[in-house]
Amino acid sequence: DTEVTQTPKHLVMGMTNKKSLKCEQHMGHRAMYWYKQKAKKPPELMFVYSYEKLSINESVPSRFSPECPNSSLLNLHLHALQPEDSALYLCASRRDGYNSPLHFGNGTRLTVT
Amino acid sequence: AQSVTQLGSHVSVSEGALVLLRCNYSSSVPPYLFWYVQYPNQGLQLLLKYTSAATLVKGINGFEAEFKKSETSFHLTKPSAHMSDAAEYFCAVSDDSNTGNQFYFGTGTSLTVIP
C-alpha cells in the first residue's frame, strides 16, 4: 500500500485566520478519517467520511469544517480556532471491512496563537 | 461499544531485554485488534493485526502478539529491545457494530529503552 499524504506538515495560525489542512490517498480506500491528538494522548476521532459522505461527527465544534471533494481527498477547514485547538491533526484511510487497519498520514502540527 | 485497556502508561526496559506491553479488550464477540507504534512527530504505523486467522500474530520490527480469548488479552512482545523501539504504542479495536468504521484506541504505553 502507498501512503497517506498530509499537508502542510506545520501550521501556525492566529485565532482570526482561516486555513485548511489537506489529506490525500491513492490506495482506493473509501473511508477517510480526521483525528486530533494531544501530546502523550491517543488520537481522538473527529470525523469519518464513508464513500464521500460524512458518516461520523464526534460533536466537533463548528470552527472545524470537513470536506471530502472526492474519494482521494479530505480537507479540514479551520476558522476562528482557540489556543486549545493546538495539536497534531492526523488523517487516516481504511479499506472496507472491519478487519482492515487504519493507514495514517504523518499529521499536521497546528499551533494557534 | 468495544474498548481496549492498556496497563502501564510507561514501560522501561534495558536494551536486549524482553519487551511486554499489555492490552486487554472488552468485547462480547471476537474482536479485530491492532497494535500501532508512533515515533515523535509522526503518524501511527501499523505493527500488526489480529483477525482470527491465528492466535499468534507476527508483525514488523520483530514484534508479535498473542490473542488469548480466556484472558481477553492481546499483549505485544519483542524478545530483545533495541534503542530504536523507544516510542509510543497504542492498542486498538475495530467496532463491528452497525455504527461502522469506528476504531477505539487504548490510552497508550510509552516505551523507554535504557542503553
Side-chain angles (χ1 to χ4, degrees):
Chain A
D1 283 348
T2 55
E3 59 184 15
V4 175
T5 303
Q6 288 188 246
T7 55
K9 292 187 191 307
H10 301 273
L11 179 61
V12 179
M13 60 185 291
M15 290 188 285
T16 58
N17 290 159
K18 285 185 180 181
K19 296 286 184 183
S20 296
L21 309 185
K22 181 179 176 180
C23 174
E24 192 167 4
Q25 59 89 14
H26 295 287
M27 295 179 279
H29 294 171
R30 303 311 297 269
M32 296 186 76
Y33 300 68
W34 280 115
Y35 283 90
K36 173 184 177 180
Q37 187 181 29
K38 292 282 200 178
K40 300 297 184 184
K41 297 292 186 184
E44 298 174 42
L45 182 64
M46 300 175 73
F47 304 103
V48 180
Y49 274 84
S50 179
Y51 288 84
E52 298 153 53
K53 293 189 188 304
L54 185 64
S55 61
I56 297 175
N57 177 343
E58 290 289 296
S59 303
V60 179
S62 60
R63 57 185 184 269
F64 295 91
S65 176
E67 179 195 19
C68 189
N70 60 56
S71 59
S72 300
L73 284 175
L74 187 65
N75 298 320
L76 186 63
H77 303 297
L78 314 173
H79 174 55
L81 294 193
Q82 304 297 311
E84 58 265 29
D85 296 322
S86 299
L88 182 67
Y89 287 84
L90 293 164
C91 174
S93 70
R94 187 181 183 199
R95 193 184 310 278
D96 281 352
Y98 295 112
N99 63 348
S100 299
L102 287 172
H103 296 259
F104 283 88
N106 279 330
T108 294
R109 174 71 62 189
L110 175 67
T111 303
V112 182
T113 61
Chain B
Q2 307 217 23
S3 66
V4 288
T5 302
Q6 292 184 243
L7 293 176
S9 58
H10 298 276
V11 170
S12 293
V13 299
S14 298
E15 189 175 15
L18 172 72
V19 176
L20 170 61
L21 305 181
R22 299 177 187 275
C23 174
N24 289 87
Y25 66 90
S26 169
S27 173
S28 59
V29 297
Y32 297 112
L33 294 161
F34 307 82
W35 274 101
Y36 284 86
V37 61
Q38 186 176 30
Y39 299 102
N41 298 312
Q42 292 188 24
L44 279 71
Q45 179 183 6
L46 179 69
L47 276 176
L48 49 82
K49 65 177 184 179
Y50 169 74
T51 56
S52 76
T55 56
L56 183 62
V57 182
K58 293 188 184 299
I60 62 170
N61 301 340
F63 284 93
E64 60 183 37
E66 186 172 8
F67 176 77
K68 291 187 177 180
K69 186 177 179 181
S70 60
E71 299 177 6
T72 61
S73 69
F74 189 56
H75 301 332
L76 183 70
T77 60
K78 182 174 181 178
S80 177
H82 191 272
M83 295 298 295
S84 60
D85 295 326
E88 191 80 16
Y89 291 80
F90 295 98
C91 182
V93 63
S94 169
D95 188 353
D96 61 354
S97 73
N98 288 333
T99 59
N101 285 320
Q102 265 282 28
F103 248 68
Y104 297 97
F105 287 92
T107 50
T109 298
S110 179
L111 176 66
T112 300
V113 182
I114 304 166

